Amino acid sequence: MSDNTIDKEKIYEAYKDRVMKYLYARVYPPEEAEDICHDVFVKVFRYWDHFDSRKSSLSTWILNITKRTLIDYYRTKHLHSELDDRLLSDDFTVRLDSEAELDRAVSALSDKQRKIVKLRYLDGYNLKKISELTGISYGMVKVHHRDAMQNLRKYLEA
């Protein structure tokens, strides 16, 4: 596809909120997330000719660019200590293309796992803050989060 055949404004409007939600949950201050979002869409339009709808959906492709751009941000800012906590195995987020699919996947989790996933991905808290909010030790929050991610992967693979 050539640059002339895409409506950049429609793509931006359709995916900007999802990208920002993903970034707000992983970057502070919010202005940094906004800058990264800008970088994401610059890459989306620069590499538009590389998008292949036979290999992935547009949302998956954009969110993969988002994740790689975020990793680049952490590398250039030398924030390696935050990298593991903020990017813990959450690949499932790029494969969920509908709210109904997300609801079904999350409803299969235990109450603790569901609460941690909600706080992490809907409210944007990091695992340390979730520990403070729930009164669950940080180590156990990490365990429940990991288990939730594994359960979501199993659900999606089924």
Side-chain angles (χ1 to χ4, degrees), residues 59-71:
S59 64
T60 298
W61 186 70
I62 290 173
L63 287 170
N64 280 327
I65 290 172
T66 303
K67 188 172 185 178
R68 288 192 306 273
T69 303
L70 182 59
I71 289 169

Side-chain angles (χ1 to χ4, degrees), residues 105-116 144 147-148 151:
V106 172
S107 68
L109 300 175
S110 72
D111 290 339
K112 279 186 183 175
Q113 291 173 352
R114 196 169 31 255
K115 184 173 187 170
I116 289 169
H144 289 304
D147 291 346
N151 289 338

Side-chain angles (χ1 to χ4, degrees), residues 21 99 111 136:
K21 189 178 219 179
E99 285 188 40
D111 290 339
I136 301 171

